[in-house]
Amino acid sequence: MGFWTLDDIRWDKFDPAKVDPDLLKVAKAASLVERNARDYATYLCSVFSDDPEVLRTLDQWAEEEVQHGMALGRWAQMADPTFDFDAAFAIFAAEIKLPIHATVSVRGSRTGEWVARCVVETGTSSMYSALAQAADEPVLKQICQSIAADEFRHYKLFYTHLRRYLKREKVGLWARLRVAFGRAAESEDDELAFAYYAANHRHEGLPYDRQTYVERYARRTFRHYRYSHVERGLAMIFKAVGLKPHGWLNRAVASVAHRFIRSRVRRFEAREIKAAAA
Ligand SMILES: [Fe+2]
Ligand SMILES: [Fe+2]
């Protein structure tokens, strides 16, 4: 059993007048990625097939991630009854293929796998915290708050596995930093961009272009990131790679990262407005 179910969401509080069309687009895209989590669980189960402690925790983790997708998808359908959640998911799942048959981690070591998983849970916990603060619509707010709490718990779970593996494998700071950077950069791969396209634009018959949809998704999401979200997220990543999470280095990097995020949001916004006017 998870910590909440779809029945705990106060769907009766839904207020269509408070739906933000940009947050609706983000919620639709996120619903597809979250709903696809069983493929990640399959991959992790085969990489850690000899570790009962990991296997014991993966089922519930995947169930919670899928529930994130189902909650967001249901909300998106309330906000936009033309949104065909099942059809969009089918298109997304057919396009985005994960290495589910891999028997060794694509991160080079098992420790590296947990670093990458910690980076993902850091990203999702920051994103849903930011969206929960930004959302005016009460049901979306409740969903994002519930999801954010799960994502922080997922980070803790994977960090526990990371610490266990660090005792067996010698994976130093630089190797862990490389994995963390690599996984963070992958957020601009096809997965999120294609989810954004499949959920929001495919039915319009527009062609898919990765960079365009990376930017459209990113600007609608990252505009809600406050300095506190960036600082906390970086502290979590620092901890996963073996750096002191709360110190001058974290604050310095967070302030540069926050400025960088804001300038990218402005640049992406300007580009989208220009493209729409052309
Ligand atoms: Fe999730
Ligand atoms: Fe998660």
Side-chain angles (χ1 to χ4, degrees), residues 61 65 68 121 124 151 154:
W61 167 76
E65 298 294 11
H68 299 168
E121 301 295 346
T124 52
E151 309 294 19
H154 294 165

Side-chain angles (χ1 to χ4, degrees), residues 21-256:
D22 280 343
L23 287 184
L24 173 58
K25 287 182 170 165
V26 171
K28 285 179 184 174
S31 73
L32 305 188
V33 178
E34 296 272 11
R35 190 175 165 181
N36 207 27
R38 285 206 215 287
D39 274 4
Y40 275 106
T42 306
Y43 160 72
L44 289 172
C45 281
S46 71
V47 171
F48 293 95
S49 59
D50 58 350
D51 185 336
E53 209 164 316
V54 171
L55 298 178
R56 197 171 47 77
T57 56
L58 282 177
D59 259 359
Q60 172 152 353
W61 167 76
E63 207 173 296
E64 289 177 5
E65 298 294 11
V66 172
Q67 181 170 276
H68 299 168
M70 301 317 281
L72 289 164
R74 181 162 160 188
W75 178 83
Q77 284 184 306
M78 285 173 95
D80 172 9
T82 70
F83 175 52
D84 190 337
F85 183 33
D86 290 338
F89 178 68
I91 290 159
F92 173 75
E95 181 72 21
I96 300 298
K97 294 285 177 215
L98 302 169
I100 52 172
H101 300 298
T103 49
V104 291
S105 169
V106 297
R107 308 291 164 194
S109 68
R110 290 177 163 202
T111 301
E113 187 60 48
W114 295 124
V115 171
R117 298 313 316 170
C118 285
V119 169
V120 173
E121 301 295 346
T122 299
T124 52
S125 56
S126 309
M127 179 181 100
Y128 290 111
S129 303
L131 297 185
Q133 270 184 3
D136 270 339
E137 200 296 306
V139 181
L140 181 62
K141 198 182 233 352
Q142 188 196 355
I143 292 171
C144 289
Q145 283 166 343
S146 308
I147 297 179
D150 284 351
E151 309 294 19
F152 282 114
R153 220 167 11 81
H154 294 165
Y155 172 91
K156 282 190 194 134
L157 169 70
F158 292 152
Y159 182 71
T160 309
H161 290 317
L162 167 62
R163 286 181 61 109
R164 278 198 307 124
Y165 275 88
L166 270 172
K167 286 182 192 148
R168 305 178 203 175
E169 300 177 330
K170 293 278 166 265
V171 181
L173 170 69
W174 292 112
R176 283 193 268 163
L177 264 178
R178 232 184 354 260
V179 171
F181 267 119
R183 184 57 193 84
E186 280 171 29
S187 65
E188 306 216 333
D189 276 2
D190 283 314
E191 190 181 36
L192 277 171
F194 191 80
Y196 186 89
Y197 167 77
N200 293 296
H201 296 293
R202 191 179 181 277
H203 64 279
E204 296 165 356
L206 296 172
Y208 171 64
D209 173 68
R210 182 204 283 176
Q211 188 56 30
T212 300
Y213 294 107
V214 160
E215 293 186 9
R216 290 190 183 187
Y217 174 83
R219 84 165 181 90
R220 287 174 174 79
T221 308
F222 287 105
R223 69 189 297 263
H224 301 296
Y225 278 47
R226 298 180 186 173
Y227 173 79
S228 58
H229 300 126
V230 179
E231 190 189 304
R232 185 173 49 185
L234 277 166
M236 290 161 74
I237 291 176
F238 272 34
K239 195 168 147 183
V241 299
L243 287 169
K244 199 169 152 229
H246 301 287
W248 67 267
L249 186 59
N250 170 285
R251 287 192 296 277
V253 176
S255 116
V256 172

